Amino acid sequence: MLYKNLSVNEKGHLAIGGMDGVELAAEYGTPLYVLDEEVIRQNCRTYVEAMHDAFGPDAAPLFASKALCFKGIYPIVESEGMCVDVVSPGEIYTALAAGFPAGKMFFHGTNKTDSDIEYGVMSGVGHFVVDNLNELAILDNVCEKQGVKQKVLLRLTCGLDPHTLEAINTGKVDSQFGVPIDTGQADNFVKEAMSCGNISIEGFHSHVGSQIFESDSFNRQVEILAEYAAKCRDEYGLTVNVLNIGGGFGVRYTEEDPKLNIPERINEIKGHLEVACEKYNLEMPTVYMEPGRSIVADAGVTLYTTGGIKEVKGYRNYVTVDGGMTDNPRYALYKSEYTVLNASRASENADFECTIAGRCCESGDRVAEDIKIAKPERGDIVAVLTTGAYNYSMASNYNRIPRPAMVMIKDGSSRLVIKRESFEDLLRNEL
Ligand SMILES: *Cc1c(COP(=O)(O)O)cnc(C)c1O
């Protein structure tokens, strides 16, 4: 099995955290998002401990809300000592509704509207991650009106290419996120920010991309940021106390993906940062990271009911499921690979070659292509692994399909954390 919390039980069913997947599907219906709380907590602890070991007690991982935003996630990450990043008023609202302290939020966003900025300041978010000059001016203004001195990080791009998909690479010079160091524009950004009377610059933020397995881009990133911090100190008298190095550690979707040793990687980054700080005679800054995917992805499994097999003679076998791109658009968007199992026949040979198709009227609605699972019959429960990140948060109502329910499992019991949408929910805002 791909993960430790998965097993095959005496009935030959897939068990998730010891709970029978077929029984969960029967109890709550399908499609169903299943999250294993213990896995989420363990992932949080790995980051918190590794960051404290490497960078001291002030360092912290921030959970990137966009990966999985609903009320139930916030008490979990908070109790494990995480801060969070948020990218919209909707995420702030959700985190606040869950009782998460605003002071531990970092507010991102490449185009924060005027009202987003007002909402963020009014809510008391701890840090704004300012993306660009336009935002800076509005933020300064809003803070002046509200009598707030706002802590900020300036989002910079380091000109790095982490060799991942174009769609999830954010750290290159040619990017809509942040301000590039390479072109010299960051200099102006820093000077402008320093001249804003209602803003206190704590440091820099940079995020290279997502699903990154190689270490070079993180190592280079901290070197570039340290060098740039030294330049800003020397030329503008700026003290950089904080470096937020973003998220992006890769997770295993299939057996072919490597397994990252997170503490080892964090230590390696620390080594590079230490050398750079020494070289430029800088104090070690407080370091933050923003893992999203690697906190929740492997905690999630989606269960579907299959509609059976459709054989297209001379081509392939299609297995259809009762969900697809509406609850998981990642295959349609990025051709993301997943591990798929027949949860009803988890002990049988996975020797039936097929493509798993969703229920939408789109030929792109697929969950996985040309994979092997134990041959299903109509009504079998199919499990797609590693769906904890960017599935629920990207879900839609295309074809008027209600969003699935989500259950959290812990210590051998399950609880509903998000109700399945009803048809009434679909009509709620329609006049
Ligand atoms: C997407 C994103 C993250 C999280 O990335 P993961 O790949 O999920 O770890 C963190 N920070 C920023 C700014 C992001 O855009």
Side-chain angles (χ1 to χ4, degrees):
M1 290 278 174
L2 196 61
Y3 304 122
K4 286 200 303 278
N5 69 326
L6 304 178
S7 57
V8 180
N9 68 15
E10 66 289 348
K11 291 182 185 155
H13 296 166
L14 173 70
I16 309 157
M19 299 206 64
D20 188 309
V22 177
E23 284 173 16
L24 285 171
E27 183 176 352
Y28 296 100
T30 58
L32 182 68
Y33 296 118
V34 181
L35 281 177
D36 187 333
E37 182 170 337
E38 199 44 43
V39 175
I40 300 174
R41 288 188 179 277
Q42 203 49 59
N43 290 337
C44 292
R45 280 172 214 157
T46 299
Y47 272 98
V48 170
E49 281 166 24
M51 291 198 67
H52 286 176
D53 285 350
F55 301 113
D58 294 338
L62 330 176
F63 172 62
S65 291
K66 68 175 178 186
L68 177 62
C69 184
F70 73 106
K71 281 197 314 189
I73 195 71
Y74 290 99
I76 296 175
V77 297
E78 192 197 358
S79 70
E80 295 298 339
M82 310 263 295
C83 299
V84 302
D85 83 37
V86 287
V87 295
S88 69
E91 287 186 356
I92 296 174
Y93 181 81
T94 307
L96 288 174
F100 194 88
K104 291 196 200 171
M105 294 182 201
F106 288 65
F107 187 15
H108 278 283
T110 189
N111 177 18
K112 301 182 188 77
T113 65
D114 292 15
S115 74
D116 292 353
I117 293 171
E118 279 163 19
Y119 186 78
V121 174
M122 203 183 65
S123 306
V125 302
H127 289 78
F128 267 67
V129 181
V130 180
D131 183 89
N132 56 64
L133 280 173
N134 308 312
E135 179 184 337
L136 201 56
I138 310 286
L139 177 61
D140 192 40
N141 225 318
V142 169
C143 291
E144 174 150 24
K145 278 198 210 119
Q146 297 198 19
V148 170
K149 181 110 180 180
Q150 179 65 53
K151 287 193 265 190
V152 306
L153 304 179
L154 302 179
R155 181 159 181 172
L156 305 177
T157 50
C158 298
L160 292 166
D161 182 354
H163 306 294
T164 56
L165 287 172
E166 188 66 25
I168 54 174
N169 178 341
T170 59
K172 292 193 302 185
V173 174
D174 183 7
S175 161
Q176 77 264 45
F177 302 103
V179 178
I181 297 174
D182 284 10
T183 59
Q185 287 163 287
D187 298 350
N188 195 29
F189 190 32
V190 168
K191 281 189 280 185
E192 281 290 326
M194 288 180 74
S195 74
C196 293
N198 307 286
I199 281 173
S200 139
I201 308 171
E202 298 281 301
F204 299 144
H205 170 277
S206 158
H207 169 74
V208 259
S210 280
Q211 194 57 359
I212 301 172
F213 290 104
E214 47 107 347
S215 39
D216 203 42
S217 32
F218 286 101
N219 298 343
R220 283 290 300 136
Q221 183 196 23
V222 292
E223 290 166 358
I224 292 167
L225 290 174
E227 183 182 356
Y228 192 64
K231 175 189 158 141
C232 290
R233 175 198 58 200
D234 297 343
E235 296 187 11
Y236 316 125
L238 176 71
T239 309
V240 171
N241 294 317
V242 171
L243 288 185
N244 178 339
I245 61 175
F249 280 166
V251 301
R252 292 183 84 208
Y253 286 98
T254 66
E255 298 279 356
E256 282 78 54
D257 287 330
K259 199 172 185 170
L260 271 191
N261 183 325
I262 288 169
E264 226 172 79
R265 284 303 167 90
I266 289 177
N267 235 334
E268 197 181 328
I269 295 169
K270 172 212 172 186
H272 283 260
L273 182 57
E274 251 175 9
V275 170
C277 285
E278 211 152 291
K279 179 171 169 191
Y280 299 110
N281 194 23
L282 286 165
E283 294 261 333
M284 232 358 221
T286 299
V287 176
Y288 297 121
M289 288 183 81
E290 302 174 320
R293 188 187 311 262
S294 52
I295 298 294
V296 289
D298 60 348
V301 174
T302 304
L303 301 175
Y304 300 102
T305 304
T306 97
I309 300 165
K310 188 176 200 176
E311 186 191 345
V312 181
K313 279 217 158 58
Y315 293 89
R316 68 181 97 213
N317 299 308
Y318 288 94
V319 170
T320 53
V321 295
D322 57 354
M325 67 185 290
T326 47
D327 59 84
N328 181 4
R330 293 188 69 255
Y331 192 84
L333 273 171
Y334 320 115
K335 288 253 184 267
S336 312
E337 287 185 39
Y338 284 95
T339 300
V340 184
L341 307 169
N342 185 338
S344 303
R345 299 167 203 273
S347 55
E348 293 176 24
N349 268 347
D351 56 4
F352 182 71
E353 195 167 324
C354 59
T355 282
I356 312 280
R359 62 179 294 177
C360 286
C361 310
E362 284 290 324
S363 36
D365 185 8
R366 292 179 179 182
V367 174
E369 286 182 293
D370 303 323
I371 55 154
K372 284 183 173 166
I373 63 173
K375 191 172 181 181
E377 276 175 23
R378 185 178 173 88
D380 277 5
I381 302 301
V382 164
V384 180
L385 310 184
T386 332
T387 56
Y390 304 111
N391 278 229
Y392 172 72
S393 62
M394 285 185 158
S396 78
N397 289 126
Y398 183 48
N399 280 188
R400 284 263 134 158
I401 294 170
R403 269 177 271 248
M406 186 183 286
V407 295
M408 186 77 80
I409 58 178
K410 186 173 191 254
D411 300 331
S413 66
S414 61
R415 65 181 197 274
L416 192 63
V417 286
I418 302 177
K419 278 197 297 192
R420 186 176 303 285
E421 279 179 344
S422 64
F423 293 147
E424 271 168 13
D425 291 330
L426 297 175
L427 299 185
R428 194 171 43 209
N429 293 330
E430 295 179 19
L431 305 173

